[in-house]
Amino acid sequence: MEKLIVIGAGQAAIQCITSLRKEGYSGSITLVGEENHLPYQRPPLSKGFLSGSTIQDRLYLKKIEFFQENSIQLNLGVKATRIDRNKCIVHLSDKKSIGYDKLVIATGSKVRKLKFPGSELEGIHYLRGIDDAELLKESLVTSKSLVIVGAGYIGLEVAAVATEFDTKITVIEMAERVMNRTVDPIISDYYQKLHAKNGVEFILNESIEKVEGKKIVERVLCSSNSSIQADTLVIGAGVTPNVELAEESGLNCENGIWVDEFGQTEDKKIFACGDCTNHPNEKLNRRLRLESVHNAMEQSKTVAYSIMNNRVAYNQVPWFWSDQYDHKLQIVGLSGEHDEVLIRGQQEEQKFMLFYLKEEKLIAVDAINNPKEFLICRKLVENKVKISSDDILNQSKNLNDLII
């Protein structure tokens, strides 16, 4: 019987396992996960779970019965410490080792931790796992002054939830606008105003220099020497691919574990999927490392097919989302190389879209509170539809008619 090990216990790992069993994979499967929790989804941690509207049981990707019924050996609370590629063995933190015929690395990403004077004080939070969210939730209940470092998705989602508590909220961002890496200034301005209406204050073009306090955070000092009172500090400085294990084993890693379009590394027995990979995308004519649920799920299916010797190239247009207050931001495509941007709808109505064009072809769309048309736009972007400004600006125009 073939032996398969999956390292990682997130969305990518579980989708890969699910697809394998669905496709009839009969080999043994062992899942290795660092946390003691059953595999769970992370996006709600900064949204519903943090606010208390989503209970922990709703986070789990599969119930324990799934693993029992599908003969999945769970090794939870254990870390994979070394991959011996010559002997095809994975060494674990509990001093045990497991042999494999095929191996899937789905280690995801890890938070980027900042070093600054006072970084060891209590009251400083990073949000990556269930335990992190539980600690932050407890802090928000008693917090009177919350400072968030980073105005990306995580920072702003935490800020939105924190407005439900009785705490003063200040967001520090080193760039000149919020979500600067992912959206157009129009979207940034819209969301900054939305947060401001809910009482969130912003300090832009600033970075954190140090934190002061006896035992617990009391003050945050910025690069301009300004000082902010704080009893809780959340750092959302982004994530980095969790590639150390792969790198130490000699696998090629450069901004992620390098895989081909089938999710295979240069070691034919080892595959990788999810946030930790750097993979080619024929539609976009470039290599990508993506941090998204869509990528984790779809690339994992590709890996499962490859293990089953049914090679189906992974080649999809990425899409993302963020929930802040009752606003849903949805993004499809990568807008960085656009030469024109047009607005469909009215900002005042809190329902509009940004269309990004390159040489008159649609390459990306940002949608605010418009999930119906966003679904159509995913197809339009995938097909690189040539679209006129009149069709974009005319809201009576049915976008479905433009699908090739």
Side-chain angles (χ1 to χ4, degrees):
M1 178 187 294
E2 184 173 87
K3 293 180 290 186
L4 171 72
I5 298 176
V6 179
I7 302 175
Q11 197 96 41
I14 298 309
Q15 183 60 61
C16 183
I17 289 171
T18 302
S19 296
L20 280 168
R21 287 303 193 219
K22 184 178 180 181
E23 293 298 312
Y25 182 75
S26 58
S28 71
I29 301 177
T30 299
L31 179 97
V32 178
E34 290 188 38
E35 297 182 66
N36 283 309
H37 302 287
L38 284 173
Y40 61 90
Q41 50 184 323
R42 296 187 188 275
L45 295 180
S46 58
K47 308 177 186 74
F49 184 70
L50 187 60
S51 70
S53 62
T54 300
I55 62 173
Q56 186 166 316
D57 283 354
R58 296 293 299 273
L59 296 180
Y60 296 136
L61 292 162
K62 298 290 182 182
K63 295 181 179 179
I64 188 64
E65 289 79 12
F66 166 83
F67 300 100
Q68 295 169 342
E69 293 167 3
N70 286 279
S71 302
I72 310 298
Q73 176 65 46
L74 289 177
N75 276 23
L76 301 178
V78 178
K79 182 178 181 179
T81 57
R82 187 165 68 90
I83 300 171
D84 186 332
R85 290 169 52 194
N86 292 324
K87 295 182 180 180
C88 296
I89 292 175
V90 174
H91 295 273
L92 306 176
S93 58
D94 61 2
K95 308 303 180 184
K96 296 179 181 178
S97 58
I98 315 172
Y100 66 84
D101 295 302
K102 290 177 182 174
L103 174 66
V104 176
I105 303 175
T107 46
S109 53
K110 57 185 181 180
V111 294
R112 180 181 284 109
K113 294 199 172 183
L114 303 183
K115 290 293 184 182
F116 49 83
S119 60
E120 75 287 349
L121 291 172
E122 294 180 14
I124 299 177
H125 300 266
Y126 291 87
L127 184 56
R128 185 59 185 166
I130 285 178
D131 295 339
D132 299 328
E134 287 283 15
L135 288 172
L136 178 55
K137 192 189 303 183
E138 291 174 8
S139 293
L140 289 177
V141 171
T142 58
S143 177
K144 296 303 178 185
S145 182
L146 166 68
V147 171
I148 299 171
V149 176
Y153 293 145
I154 294 296
L156 295 185
E157 287 170 3
V158 169
V161 171
T163 61
E164 301 173 19
F165 297 83
D166 184 22
T167 183
K168 180 179 183 295
I169 306 164
T170 304
V171 177
I172 302 172
E173 169 57 49
M174 63 189 304
E176 63 184 11
R177 59 187 178 88
V178 307
M179 298 187 290
N180 70 298
R181 291 191 306 113
T182 53
V183 299
D184 185 88
I186 293 173
I187 302 290
S188 293
D189 182 66
Y190 181 85
Y191 270 90
Q192 185 174 339
K193 289 177 178 176
L194 173 64
H195 280 275
K197 287 178 182 177
N198 284 275
V200 178
E201 296 182 8
F202 288 89
I203 300 177
L204 303 177
N205 296 305
E206 292 268 16
S207 59
I208 184 173
E209 285 294 307
K210 66 177 180 177
V211 176
E212 295 180 337
K214 292 180 180 180
K215 184 180 178 182
I216 303 173
V217 173
E218 295 177 13
R219 287 174 302 281
V220 175
L221 275 68
C222 299
S223 51
S224 65
N225 292 323
S226 59
S227 176
I228 310 167
Q229 294 296 119
D231 52 37
T232 304
L233 175 63
V234 175
I235 298 179
V239 297
T240 58
N242 196 354
V243 300
E244 284 77 8
L245 187 66
E247 205 165 35
E248 289 168 3
S249 74
L251 291 173
N252 183 19
C253 296
E254 184 180 339
N255 186 29
I257 304 168
W258 274 53
V259 296
D260 61 17
E261 65 271 33
F262 305 108
Q264 193 168 44
T265 69
E266 72 266 33
D267 185 325
K268 300 306 178 185
K269 295 181 179 179
I270 301 180
F271 302 79
C273 50
D275 291 11
C276 64
T277 69
N278 186 310
H279 58 274
N281 186 296
E282 186 179 349
K283 286 186 182 295
L284 301 176
N285 194 31
R286 56 182 289 193
R287 294 192 70 92
L288 300 171
R289 189 183 73 79
L290 298 171
E291 299 157 14
S292 75
V293 172
H294 170 250
N295 173 66
M297 293 183 67
E298 296 304 319
Q299 192 183 29
S300 299
K301 294 176 184 177
T302 291
V303 165
Y305 298 148
S306 296
I307 291 171
M308 295 290 293
N309 295 315
N310 178 21
R311 291 161 72 83
V312 179
Y314 176 56
N315 183 32
Q316 298 191 26
V317 174
W319 67 273
F320 318 84
W321 85 91
S322 176
D323 292 325
Q324 298 171 39
Y325 307 103
D326 57 350
H327 282 53
K328 179 175 285 293
L329 168 64
Q330 295 172 290
I331 299 172
V332 60
L334 301 178
S335 61
E337 298 179 351
H338 71 275
D339 53 34
E340 185 179 11
V341 58
L342 296 169
I343 301 178
R344 179 180 174 90
Q346 303 297 322
Q347 294 187 50
E348 296 77 14
E349 298 176 2
Q350 299 184 346
K351 180 180 178 181
F352 66 100
M353 309 174 79
L354 262 60
F355 283 65
Y356 300 89
L357 305 176
K358 181 180 180 182
E359 297 174 355
E360 299 183 342
K361 291 182 179 179
L362 187 63
I363 63 169
V365 173
D366 297 345
I368 306 291
N369 298 328
N370 195 348
K372 184 177 180 180
E373 285 197 320
F374 178 76
L375 283 175
I376 302 171
C377 289
R378 284 178 57 184
K379 297 177 182 178
L380 296 177
V381 172
E382 183 175 356
N383 294 337
K384 296 181 180 178
V385 169
K386 193 169 184 178
I387 186 169
S388 70
S389 58
D390 289 342
D391 285 339
I392 293 173
L393 299 175
N394 181 8
Q395 293 187 72
S396 63
K397 175 69 176 182
N398 190 336
L399 297 178
N400 247 329
D401 296 340
L402 302 176
I403 295 177
I404 299 174

